[in-house]
Amino acid sequence: MTVAARPASTAPVARPGWWDEPFGVFQTNLREIDAGLDVEATLDAIEEHGARVWLLNVGGILSHYPTDLPFQTRNPHLAGRPGGDLVGDALSAARRRGVRLLARMDFSKVAPAIADAHPEWLYVSPTGARQEFEGLVSVCPSAGYYQHRLLDVVDEVLDRYEVDGFFFNWFGFNEVDYAGRVHGVCHCAACQEGFRARTGLDRLPERAGDEHYRAWRGYATATIDALTARVRAHLAARRPDAALILGTAADVLFHEANNAIGRTLWPYATGEAVSALRSARPGKPVLVNAVAFWDMPYRFAAEQPEMLGQYLAQAIARGANPSTYVMGPAGHVAYDGLSAAAAVTRFHRDHRDVYAGLSPAARVGLVRPDPLDDDGRFGTGVAEHRGLLTALVERHVPFDVVPVGALADLGADPATDRFRVLVLPDLPSLPDPAADALERFVRAGGTVVATGRSGIGPDGAVRDWFPGERVTAVDADRDLLTSSYVQLDGAEAVEGARLVPRHGRHHRLAWRADTTPRFRLVEAAPYGPPEKAYGHVPGTEPVAGERRHGAGAVVQLPWVVGTAYRDTGLTALRDLVVDLVTERLGTPQVALDGPEQLEVVVGRSRAGLVVHLLNHSGQRGNGYGPVVPLHDVALRVPGLAGRPARALAGAATVVDDGDDLVVRLATVTGLEVVVIEDGVGTHE
């Protein structure tokens, strides 16, 4: 049965607090044998690291304080600690030093005795089995432990300790366990009833890929969001100066940066995640927890130092707060990357004036598809998104990531909305609220650059404000694409023309009469043997088109050029699509003269315009190694001549060149930050 929600205020509550200013965190994730933790030695290490906030295990799976609740498990090793209260000792020591203490809670599992007493709280697999791992039993967020008893635990902690906030670990539905085993969608009574009430469907899916799995994810997300909002409201009423660090409904948004066996490195993952969070929830702070070990099954093997530093450099560049996560007491495990993490954390601490209020400010928005948005035939737009993101990074075009779900909140006036160009990467569906917001954006003067299926419906019809009118054919099979090209110039003969291979998937369109065509399709001809490799003729069918709409424009390229770039590495493909973005952008926000391994991130803070330069030259295989110092880098900022400017990490020479400000950097090693103050001043 469904457990009634515990009464809590659900009215919107203003939640300003200490978390609105820059802060750094150090997490000691304790085992039960660590109950004798030396809190003073730990705080020494935390302060040396540059952090002023300590994230400590408090309750949930195991209570590191003498809990009196019958559905909590008191750590038996507390009996060997003088006073028997690790949390009380840690809080007292932290207060003496001015360090904040966050309570780490994990409600995902309970001890077998509690599980046996309350089977209605448990996760139930599609086969009716419960989920057990290392002697602990998983519980379900739909059921009574989460929905009712969770707040009892929070209240016990609040009654005893003036903690500065809470972080809830593994706060979700356990479809997969720690070992990576897929158990599937929970089929407990509460999930069945809740899913039916929300969706009207009588049968739950069993696992990802099943029919109605997307509806299940909607139910699961709504359940977690509603519970998060209740906890946040409860905290606001009981302890207004305590933050909740969790999901979209919390005070502080959270992302964990980690590595895993079998996962191909996506080098920009942390920056992308933070950018998406900041775009979807403007004004909310973000915490990035960088894991010091290499994959969960190898908690005592150190992550590569440069990888750990890269996590946090990307985090602070996008306006997040850095957190470092170790197992056990600080200093007990030889994590080689801690020095790299500490360098970024101290940098963030030492430049609080720059990071205070740092917000995204790029004029290009790259939409991130929903990875569950799979049409069953062509898959998702994730590969296209990543190809386009890589292309923008390498061409030094500042951008911010916008989740597709946040498009409906897009501002309609480019004069007040910071975006000038929005890039839609092969979106297999575009919900009407998002499409309506995009049309308003274009009509008011913005530009949309759409690739792949973006704007194309399942029936092949194209949205009526796009350049295309309808799909005439889809070339997705290799045989349809082999030895065909896209011609980038107007040459009259194929030989000698600028050609790029047509690879991936191309939706051929019938174009509207007022569309300006771009590029031409060169149809296939024999490619072998060499003696027969001729016969291509210049085509007449456009591969892309541009159309005015109101004061703005839509550029449609119904071909997965980003995916093609990821697969081939041909920079001509990269430049084709990035040029479509930059030519509509006009005067660049900033222009960088430097190697393509430098990523440019633009933001604004109380200090002025803030430009981060991230050196990705250490990227190798499935991780990061030492970077190559990059020399003689110049950052040009159009129209800001005369502004005071400085570099935070290295030496810089600041000069005016006409109306432009030019900052010359002798060397960019890892992370460089250029700050250009508002107002007019003189250079030193």
Side-chain angles (χ1 to χ4, degrees):
M1 67 177 182
T2 301
V3 177
R6 177 186 175 123
S9 171
T10 57
V13 179
R15 292 284 286 159
W18 61 265
W19 50 89
D20 291 321
E21 296 297 318
F23 62 94
V25 178
F26 195 92
Q27 177 185 178
T28 53
N29 200 350
L30 303 184
R31 305 159 295 175
E32 56 187 4
I33 61 174
D34 295 324
L37 176 76
D38 184 335
V39 297
E40 296 295 348
T42 299
L43 283 163
D44 287 343
I46 290 171
E47 291 186 302
E48 173 63 22
H49 193 81
R52 300 296 298 169
V53 181
W54 181 8
L55 178 54
L56 173 71
N57 305 65
V58 171
I61 290 176
L62 199 67
S63 296
H64 288 268
Y65 67 95
T67 179
D68 292 324
L69 297 172
F71 45 84
Q72 290 290 279
T73 302
R74 186 185 299 190
N75 186 347
H77 293 272
L78 285 175
R81 184 181 184 89
D85 187 355
L86 170 58
V87 176
D89 294 344
L91 183 60
S92 296
R95 284 288 178 266
R96 288 193 297 271
R97 299 183 185 222
V99 173
R100 299 187 183 278
L101 188 73
L102 296 176
R104 183 188 187 275
M105 317 292 286
D106 192 327
F107 296 104
S108 65
K109 299 167 184 65
V110 294
I114 300 171
D116 292 341
H118 297 280
E120 74 278 8
W121 290 354
L122 305 183
Y123 163 91
V124 178
S125 80
T127 64
R130 66 189 197 179
Q131 185 184 130
E132 298 187 33
F133 196 87
E134 294 294 343
L136 295 171
V137 185
S138 293
V139 291
C140 176
S142 295
Y145 182 63
Y146 269 92
Q147 293 292 330
H148 184 70
R149 294 306 183 188
L150 179 152
L151 286 178
D152 290 336
V153 182
V154 170
D155 279 338
E156 184 181 58
V157 173
L158 290 173
D159 289 341
R160 299 187 186 189
Y161 311 106
E162 292 187 2
V163 295
D164 295 288
F166 290 85
F167 165 68
F168 293 173
N169 186 62
W170 203 312
F171 198 66
F173 289 80
N174 292 344
E175 296 183 42
V176 181
D177 66 19
Y178 271 109
R181 292 186 291 261
V182 177
H183 294 261
V185 170
C186 180
H187 278 57
C188 75
C191 277
Q192 293 187 51
E193 183 176 335
F195 181 73
R196 186 182 306 113
R198 176 179 170 84
T199 67
L201 299 170
D202 291 328
R203 184 175 180 179
L204 284 158
E206 294 191 0
R207 61 191 66 241
D210 288 354
E211 185 181 12
H212 305 313
Y213 182 76
R214 189 182 183 93
W216 157 256
R217 292 308 309 163
Y219 164 75
T221 299
T223 300
I224 294 300
D225 285 349
L227 184 55
T228 302
R230 284 178 51 222
V231 175
R232 180 177 180 269
H234 189 76
L235 275 181
R238 284 219 52 188
R239 183 75 54 77
D241 55 351
L244 178 63
I245 301 171
L246 198 58
T248 55
D251 301 303
V252 181
L253 309 178
F254 179 82
H255 173 73
E256 184 166 285
N258 56 37
N259 223 331
I261 293 175
R263 182 201 303 163
T264 301
L265 176 71
W266 170 228
Y268 311 111
T270 304
E272 177 196 326
V274 174
S275 184
L277 288 170
R278 299 299 309 279
S279 295
R281 298 289 186 276
K284 278 199 174 185
V286 177
L287 180 69
V288 168
N289 198 39
V291 178
F293 49 83
W294 192 80
D295 201 0
M296 296 299 167
Y298 297 92
R299 293 183 186 266
F300 304 103
E303 176 59 277
Q304 181 73 16
E306 292 83 5
M307 187 78 255
L308 194 58
Q310 185 66 220
Y311 291 148
L312 295 183
Q314 290 187 33
I316 68 171
R318 294 285 181 177
N321 297 287
S323 174
T324 305
Y325 163 18
V326 302
M327 285 297 301
H332 280 219
V333 180
Y335 291 124
D336 298 336
L338 288 183
S339 59
V344 179
T345 305
R346 290 194 292 263
F347 185 89
H348 184 260
R349 176 202 64 191
D350 294 344
H351 297 288
R352 283 173 57 89
D353 62 319
V354 172
Y355 290 101
L358 180 61
S359 299
R363 295 174 184 166
V364 174
L366 175 63
V367 176
R368 185 175 71 177
D370 183 344
L372 293 177
D373 200 354
D374 186 333
D375 65 5
R377 181 181 176 193
F378 297 129
T380 72
V382 172
E384 181 74 0
H385 165 78
R386 291 186 173 184
L388 297 181
L389 190 152
T390 303
L392 292 169
V393 167
E394 293 175 353
R395 283 282 303 272
H396 305 143
V397 178
F399 64 92
D400 289 314
V401 177
V402 183
V404 66
L407 283 176
D409 299 324
L410 188 69
D413 183 2
T416 57
D417 193 284
R418 62 190 174 92
F419 291 125
R420 297 294 179 265
V421 178
L422 287 167
V423 183
L424 312 184
D426 190 34
L427 299 179
S429 68
L430 198 56
D432 287 339
D436 292 345
L438 284 169
E439 184 185 9
R440 290 193 301 270
F441 169 79
V442 174
R443 209 165 45 229
T447 295
V448 161
V449 176
T451 73
R453 292 163 291 176
S454 301
I456 301 173
D459 61 353
V462 183
R463 291 196 175 267
D464 59 12
W465 48 282
F466 269 59
E469 186 171 13
R470 68 184 186 281
V471 175
T472 60
V474 180
D475 294 350
D477 297 334
R478 183 174 179 180
D479 289 344
L480 295 174
L481 296 164
T482 297
S483 192
S484 67
Y485 303 90
V486 172
Q487 183 173 340
L488 305 183
D489 59 16
E492 295 183 0
V494 171
E495 287 83 357
R498 294 188 61 236
L499 304 177
V500 291
R502 198 168 58 116
H503 168 78
R505 174 178 16 92
H506 175 207
H507 283 70
R508 299 194 187 206
L509 299 182
W511 301 91
R512 300 183 196 276
D514 57 349
T515 293
T516 302
R518 299 290 301 269
F519 316 131
R520 292 186 292 176
L521 172 62
V522 176
E523 299 283 5
Y527 62 90
E531 292 81 357
K532 296 292 186 179
Y534 62 89
H536 290 98
V537 296
T540 59
E541 181 179 338
V543 176
E546 180 174 346
R547 184 175 183 236
R548 301 294 301 175
H549 185 66
V554 179
V555 180
Q556 187 172 12
L557 179 66
W559 171 39
V560 286
V561 63
T563 304
Y565 178 52
R566 273 179 61 84
D567 289 350
T568 67
L570 294 172
T571 57
L573 289 166
R574 175 195 71 186
D575 295 343
L576 180 162
V577 69
V578 175
D579 286 348
L580 292 176
V581 173
T582 56
E583 68 188 28
R584 298 301 309 182
L585 191 60
T587 302
Q589 196 170 10
V590 298
L592 187 74
D593 182 7
E596 64 182 30
Q597 287 80 10
L598 278 176
E599 179 181 2
V600 182
V601 179
V602 174
R604 290 201 64 85
S605 77
R606 298 171 198 170
L609 183 69
V610 181
V611 182
H612 282 77
L613 303 179
L614 289 89
N615 186 344
H616 290 286
S617 65
Q619 182 182 328
R620 60 182 190 187
N622 227 35
Y624 273 80
V627 300
V628 176
L630 304 175
H631 304 292
D632 300 322
V633 173
L635 179 72
R636 178 179 294 270
V637 189
L640 294 191
R643 300 284 182 90
R646 67 187 190 277
L648 302 185
T653 302
V654 181
V655 298
D656 291 339
D657 184 6
D659 293 333
D660 299 346
L661 181 76
V662 178
V663 181
R664 295 196 175 97
L665 304 163
T667 303
V668 176
T669 304
L671 171 69
E672 183 59 273
V673 184
V674 175
V675 181
I676 302 156
E677 298 177 18
D678 293 327
V680 177
T682 57
H683 307 316
E684 297 181 358

